[in-house]
Amino acid sequence: MTKIATITLLFAILMTSCVSKKKMNQVENQKTALEQELSDLRSEQQNSNDNYAELEDEVLSYKQKIANLQGDAENKIQLTDKGMLVSENTKSNVRKVFSKMPVDQRSKANTLEDSINLAVAYNIKSNLLKQMKDEDKVADEAIEITVEEPIVRITLTDKVLFKSGSYWVDKKAYNLLARIAEVINSEPNMDIRVEGHADNMKISESSYIVDNWDLSIRRAASVVRTLEDKFGVGGDRLIASGRAHYYPVADNATKEGRAKNRRTTILLLPKVDRYMDILKK
Protein backbone atom coordinates (compact mmCIF):
# COMPACT_ATOMS: atom_id res chain seq x y z
CA MET A 1 0.00 0.00 0.00
CA THR A 2 1.35 3.37 -0.97
CA LYS A 3 1.87 6.13 1.56
CA ILE A 4 -1.01 8.15 0.03
CA ALA A 5 -3.35 5.18 0.21
CA THR A 6 -2.40 4.56 3.81
CA ILE A 7 -3.04 8.19 4.75
CA THR A 8 -6.39 8.11 2.91
CA LEU A 9 -7.47 4.96 4.76
CA LEU A 10 -6.44 6.38 8.09
CA PHE A 11 -8.33 9.63 7.32
CA ALA A 12 -11.47 7.67 6.39
CA ILE A 13 -11.27 5.62 9.60
CA LEU A 14 -10.75 8.82 11.59
CA MET A 15 -13.73 10.53 9.95
CA THR A 16 -15.93 7.49 10.59
CA SER A 17 -14.89 7.55 14.23
CA CYS A 18 -15.61 11.28 14.50
CA VAL A 19 -19.06 10.95 12.97
CA SER A 20 -19.98 8.08 15.32
CA LYS A 21 -18.83 10.04 18.32
CA LYS A 22 -20.82 13.09 17.16
CA LYS A 23 -23.97 11.00 16.77
CA MET A 24 -23.36 9.47 20.16
CA ASN A 25 -23.15 12.90 21.74
CA GLN A 26 -26.37 13.94 20.03
CA VAL A 27 -28.14 10.85 21.36
CA GLU A 28 -26.78 11.50 24.86
CA ASN A 29 -27.95 15.12 24.68
CA GLN A 30 -31.41 14.07 23.52
CA LYS A 31 -31.59 11.49 26.32
CA THR A 32 -30.62 14.10 28.91
CA ALA A 33 -33.21 16.54 27.55
CA LEU A 34 -35.95 13.89 27.61
CA GLU A 35 -35.04 12.87 31.15
CA GLN A 36 -35.24 16.52 32.23
CA GLU A 37 -38.59 16.96 30.47
CA LEU A 38 -39.92 13.81 32.16
CA SER A 39 -38.72 15.09 35.52
CA ASP A 40 -40.42 18.44 34.91
CA LEU A 41 -43.66 16.74 33.91
CA ARG A 42 -43.61 14.59 37.05
CA SER A 43 -42.99 17.67 39.17
CA GLU A 44 -45.83 19.52 37.42
CA GLN A 45 -48.14 16.56 37.95
CA GLN A 46 -47.28 16.48 41.65
CA ASN A 47 -47.96 20.21 41.96
CA SER A 48 -51.29 19.75 40.18
CA ASN A 49 -52.20 16.91 42.53
CA ASP A 50 -51.26 19.04 45.54
CA ASN A 51 -53.29 22.00 44.22
CA TYR A 52 -56.28 19.77 43.52
CA ALA A 53 -56.10 18.38 47.04
CA GLU A 54 -55.94 21.91 48.43
CA LEU A 55 -58.96 22.94 46.35
CA GLU A 56 -60.86 19.93 47.64
CA ASP A 57 -60.02 20.98 51.21
CA GLU A 58 -61.29 24.51 50.46
CA VAL A 59 -64.56 23.18 49.03
CA LEU A 60 -64.97 20.79 51.97
CA SER A 61 -64.39 23.66 54.40
CA TYR A 62 -66.99 25.81 52.63
CA LYS A 63 -69.53 22.98 52.65
CA GLN A 64 -68.94 22.60 56.37
CA LYS A 65 -69.87 26.24 56.86
CA ILE A 66 -73.10 25.63 54.94
CA ALA A 67 -73.72 22.68 57.25
CA ASN A 68 -73.13 24.99 60.23
CA LEU A 69 -75.76 27.38 58.88
CA GLN A 70 -78.25 24.54 59.29
CA GLY A 71 -77.57 24.63 63.02
CA ASP A 72 -78.59 21.57 65.02
CA ALA A 73 -81.31 20.49 62.62
CA GLU A 74 -82.45 16.97 63.45
CA ASN A 75 -82.21 15.96 59.81
CA LYS A 76 -79.16 17.95 58.75
CA ILE A 77 -78.24 17.53 55.06
CA GLN A 78 -74.65 17.31 53.88
CA LEU A 79 -73.97 18.73 50.42
CA THR A 80 -72.49 16.21 48.02
CA ASP A 81 -70.33 16.58 44.93
CA LYS A 82 -72.29 16.47 41.70
CA GLY A 83 -72.08 13.11 39.97
CA MET A 84 -71.21 11.25 43.17
CA LEU A 85 -73.37 8.66 44.86
CA VAL A 86 -75.57 9.96 47.67
CA SER A 87 -75.71 7.99 50.90
CA GLU A 88 -78.93 6.39 52.03
CA ASN A 89 -78.74 8.48 55.20
CA THR A 90 -78.71 11.69 53.15
CA LYS A 91 -81.65 10.49 51.06
CA SER A 92 -83.53 9.58 54.23
CA ASN A 93 -82.90 13.01 55.76
CA VAL A 94 -84.02 14.74 52.57
CA ARG A 95 -87.30 12.79 52.68
CA LYS A 96 -87.83 13.74 56.34
CA VAL A 97 -87.15 17.43 55.65
CA PHE A 98 -89.44 17.34 52.59
CA SER A 99 -92.27 16.01 54.76
CA LYS A 100 -92.14 19.31 56.71
CA MET A 101 -91.92 21.60 53.69
CA PRO A 102 -94.91 23.28 51.98
CA VAL A 103 -96.05 21.55 48.79
CA ASP A 104 -95.20 24.54 46.59
CA GLN A 105 -91.58 24.41 47.77
CA ARG A 106 -91.25 20.66 47.24
CA SER A 107 -92.58 21.01 43.71
CA LYS A 108 -89.47 22.99 42.71
CA ALA A 109 -87.32 19.86 42.89
CA ASN A 110 -86.75 18.22 39.50
CA THR A 111 -83.60 16.27 40.39
CA LEU A 112 -81.98 14.72 43.45
CA GLU A 113 -79.51 17.63 43.48
CA ASP A 114 -82.46 20.06 43.54
CA SER A 115 -83.97 18.12 46.43
CA ILE A 116 -80.75 18.27 48.44
CA ASN A 117 -80.32 22.02 47.84
CA LEU A 118 -83.96 22.71 48.81
CA ALA A 119 -83.66 20.62 51.96
CA VAL A 120 -80.43 22.42 52.96
CA ALA A 121 -82.09 25.80 52.32
CA TYR A 122 -85.11 24.80 54.43
CA ASN A 123 -82.87 23.80 57.33
CA ILE A 124 -80.88 27.04 57.10
CA LYS A 125 -84.07 29.11 57.12
CA SER A 126 -85.49 27.18 60.08
CA ASN A 127 -82.28 27.79 62.01
CA LEU A 128 -82.20 31.50 61.17
CA LEU A 129 -85.83 31.91 62.20
CA LYS A 130 -84.87 30.76 65.68
CA GLN A 131 -82.67 33.84 65.93
CA MET A 132 -85.68 36.12 65.34
CA LYS A 133 -87.64 34.99 68.42
CA ASP A 134 -90.70 37.26 68.60
CA GLU A 135 -90.33 38.15 64.94
CA ASP A 136 -90.84 34.58 63.68
CA LYS A 137 -94.21 35.18 62.02
CA VAL A 138 -92.96 38.18 60.05
CA ALA A 139 -89.60 36.60 59.31
CA ASP A 140 -91.10 33.38 57.97
CA GLU A 141 -92.69 35.34 55.15
CA ALA A 142 -89.76 37.68 54.71
CA ILE A 143 -86.77 35.32 54.59
CA GLU A 144 -85.92 33.20 51.59
CA ILE A 145 -82.90 30.92 51.34
CA THR A 146 -81.59 29.33 48.16
CA VAL A 147 -78.56 27.06 47.82
CA GLU A 148 -76.86 26.72 44.46
CA GLU A 149 -73.68 24.94 45.40
CA PRO A 150 -71.36 26.46 46.41
CA ILE A 151 -73.33 29.73 46.82
CA VAL A 152 -75.81 30.45 49.60
CA ARG A 153 -78.26 33.28 48.87
CA ILE A 154 -80.13 34.80 51.83
CA THR A 155 -82.92 37.16 50.73
CA LEU A 156 -84.57 39.42 53.29
CA THR A 157 -87.49 41.73 52.56
CA ASP A 158 -87.21 45.24 53.97
CA LYS A 159 -89.66 44.60 56.83
CA VAL A 160 -87.10 42.26 58.39
CA LEU A 161 -84.22 44.74 58.19
CA PHE A 162 -85.64 48.27 58.06
CA LYS A 163 -88.39 50.43 59.45
CA SER A 164 -90.70 51.91 56.85
CA GLY A 165 -88.99 54.60 54.80
CA SER A 166 -85.62 54.10 56.54
CA TYR A 167 -82.35 52.67 55.32
CA TRP A 168 -80.86 52.11 58.80
CA VAL A 169 -80.87 48.48 59.93
CA ASP A 170 -83.51 47.91 62.62
CA LYS A 171 -82.20 46.45 65.90
CA LYS A 172 -84.79 43.68 65.64
CA ALA A 173 -82.66 42.18 62.85
CA TYR A 174 -79.47 42.07 64.96
CA ASN A 175 -79.99 38.48 66.15
CA LEU A 176 -80.38 37.31 62.58
CA LEU A 177 -77.35 39.23 61.29
CA ALA A 178 -75.31 38.07 64.30
CA ARG A 179 -75.92 34.44 63.33
CA ILE A 180 -74.96 35.08 59.71
CA ALA A 181 -71.86 36.99 60.84
CA GLU A 182 -70.87 34.10 63.10
CA VAL A 183 -70.72 31.75 60.13
CA ILE A 184 -68.94 34.35 57.98
CA ASN A 185 -66.28 34.96 60.63
CA SER A 186 -65.63 31.23 60.99
CA GLU A 187 -64.67 30.93 57.31
CA PRO A 188 -61.95 33.38 56.15
CA ASN A 189 -62.09 32.18 52.55
CA MET A 190 -65.56 33.52 51.95
CA ASP A 191 -66.64 36.83 50.42
CA ILE A 192 -70.00 38.42 51.18
CA ARG A 193 -71.90 40.47 48.64
CA VAL A 194 -74.88 42.47 49.86
CA GLU A 195 -77.29 43.62 47.17
CA GLY A 196 -80.02 46.19 47.74
CA HIS A 197 -83.20 46.06 45.62
CA ALA A 198 -86.18 48.41 45.38
CA ASP A 199 -89.63 48.42 43.81
CA ASN A 200 -90.34 50.68 40.82
CA MET A 201 -92.17 53.42 42.75
CA LYS A 202 -90.63 56.87 42.39
CA ILE A 203 -89.15 58.47 45.48
CA SER A 204 -90.94 61.57 46.72
CA GLU A 205 -89.28 64.78 45.55
CA SER A 206 -89.27 66.05 49.13
CA SER A 207 -87.27 63.03 50.33
CA TYR A 208 -83.58 63.22 51.18
CA ILE A 209 -83.21 59.99 49.18
CA VAL A 210 -82.61 60.81 45.52
CA ASP A 211 -84.04 57.76 43.74
CA ASN A 212 -84.20 53.96 43.81
CA TRP A 213 -80.51 53.72 43.03
CA ASP A 214 -79.76 55.81 46.07
CA LEU A 215 -82.16 53.82 48.28
CA SER A 216 -80.89 50.38 47.23
CA ILE A 217 -77.25 51.38 47.66
CA ARG A 218 -77.86 53.02 51.05
CA ARG A 219 -79.63 49.91 52.35
CA ALA A 220 -76.91 47.56 51.11
CA ALA A 221 -74.24 49.79 52.66
CA SER A 222 -76.19 49.91 55.94
CA VAL A 223 -76.23 46.10 56.17
CA VAL A 224 -72.53 45.99 55.34
CA ARG A 225 -71.73 48.57 58.04
CA THR A 226 -73.78 46.62 60.58
CA LEU A 227 -71.94 43.37 59.80
CA GLU A 228 -68.62 45.18 60.11
CA ASP A 229 -69.26 47.53 63.04
CA LYS A 230 -71.58 45.44 65.19
CA PHE A 231 -70.46 41.89 64.45
CA GLY A 232 -66.80 42.14 63.47
CA VAL A 233 -66.92 41.00 59.84
CA GLY A 234 -63.82 42.28 58.04
CA GLY A 235 -64.67 45.15 55.72
CA ASP A 236 -62.23 43.82 53.12
CA ARG A 237 -64.53 40.80 52.66
CA LEU A 238 -67.74 42.77 52.19
CA ILE A 239 -69.18 44.08 48.94
CA ALA A 240 -72.12 46.50 48.90
CA SER A 241 -74.07 47.02 45.69
CA GLY A 242 -77.41 48.51 44.69
CA ARG A 243 -79.58 47.19 41.86
CA ALA A 244 -82.38 49.81 42.10
CA HIS A 245 -85.66 48.38 40.65
CA TYR A 246 -84.15 46.54 37.71
CA TYR A 247 -84.27 42.98 39.07
CA PRO A 248 -87.82 42.42 40.36
CA VAL A 249 -88.87 38.99 41.63
CA ALA A 250 -92.57 39.85 41.62
CA ASP A 251 -95.08 42.05 39.83
CA ASN A 252 -94.64 45.72 40.73
CA ALA A 253 -98.27 46.35 39.75
CA THR A 254 -99.46 44.90 43.07
CA LYS A 255 -98.79 45.92 46.65
CA GLU A 256 -97.71 42.39 47.51
CA GLY A 257 -95.34 42.25 44.55
CA ARG A 258 -93.72 45.56 45.43
CA ALA A 259 -93.20 44.35 49.01
CA LYS A 260 -91.29 41.32 47.72
CA ASN A 261 -89.18 43.46 45.42
CA ARG A 262 -88.06 45.71 48.29
CA ARG A 263 -85.42 43.32 49.52
CA THR A 264 -81.77 42.83 50.43
CA THR A 265 -79.81 39.79 49.31
CA ILE A 266 -76.77 38.49 51.15
CA LEU A 267 -74.66 36.14 49.05
CA LEU A 268 -72.06 33.92 50.69
CA LEU A 269 -69.42 33.30 48.03
CA PRO A 270 -66.21 31.26 47.94
CA LYS A 271 -63.30 33.70 47.70
CA VAL A 272 -62.39 33.72 44.01
CA ASP A 273 -58.90 35.15 44.59
CA ARG A 274 -58.13 32.28 46.94
CA TYR A 275 -59.06 29.67 44.34
CA MET A 276 -57.11 31.48 41.62
CA ASP A 277 -54.02 31.60 43.83
CA ILE A 278 -54.21 27.85 44.35
CA LEU A 279 -54.59 27.21 40.61
CA LYS A 280 -51.57 29.41 39.84
CA LYS A 281 -49.24 27.47 42.13
Side-chain angles (χ1 to χ4, degrees), residues 89-107:
N89 183 59
T90 295
K91 291 180 182 178
S92 175
N93 283 350
V94 168
R95 287 193 290 268
K96 290 176 182 177
V97 173
F98 259 50
S99 68
K100 305 173 186 177
M101 293 170 59
V103 175
D104 61 327
Q105 291 185 30
R106 298 200 301 264
S107 65

Side-chain angles (χ1 to χ4, degrees), residues 259-277:
K260 290 183 179 180
N261 290 332
R262 295 191 299 271
R263 69 197 191 279
T264 300
T265 301
I266 303 174
L267 292 98
L268 309 184
L269 309 162
K271 209 167 213 175
V272 176
D273 290 346
R274 170 65 177 159
Y275 286 99
M276 294 305 295
D277 287 343

Side-chain angles (χ1 to χ4, degrees), residues 167-267:
Y167 63 85
W168 295 106
V169 173
D170 195 327
K171 289 183 179 180
K172 71 182 182 183
Y174 279 8
N175 287 331
L176 174 63
L177 293 180
R179 174 57 181 151
I180 295 173
E182 181 183 333
V183 174
I184 292 170
N185 288 331
S186 70
E187 177 51 72
N189 296 319
M190 183 191 294
D191 278 332
I192 303 87
R193 188 168 79 227
V194 180
E195 294 180 349
H197 298 264
D199 59 29
N200 67 345
M201 301 297 287
K202 289 185 177 181
I203 303 295
S204 171
E205 292 184 2
S206 61
S207 173
Y208 61 91
I209 296 174
V210 179
D211 53 22
N212 283 326
W213 280 113
D214 190 27
L215 176 61
S216 64
I217 291 171
R218 283 174 184 258
R219 285 187 165 177
S222 182
V223 172
V224 162
R225 288 192 186 99
T226 302
L227 289 171
E228 180 179 19
D229 298 341
K230 299 292 185 183
F231 305 113
V233 177
D236 59 332
R237 303 172 59 195
L238 294 164
I239 305 165
S241 63
R243 310 304 294 270
H245 54 276
Y246 291 103
Y247 291 87
V249 293
D251 188 357
N252 273 310
T254 67
K255 180 179 179 181
E256 294 75 17
R258 290 193 297 273
K260 290 183 179 180
N261 290 332
R262 295 191 299 271
R263 69 197 191 279
T264 300
T265 301
I266 303 174
L267 292 98

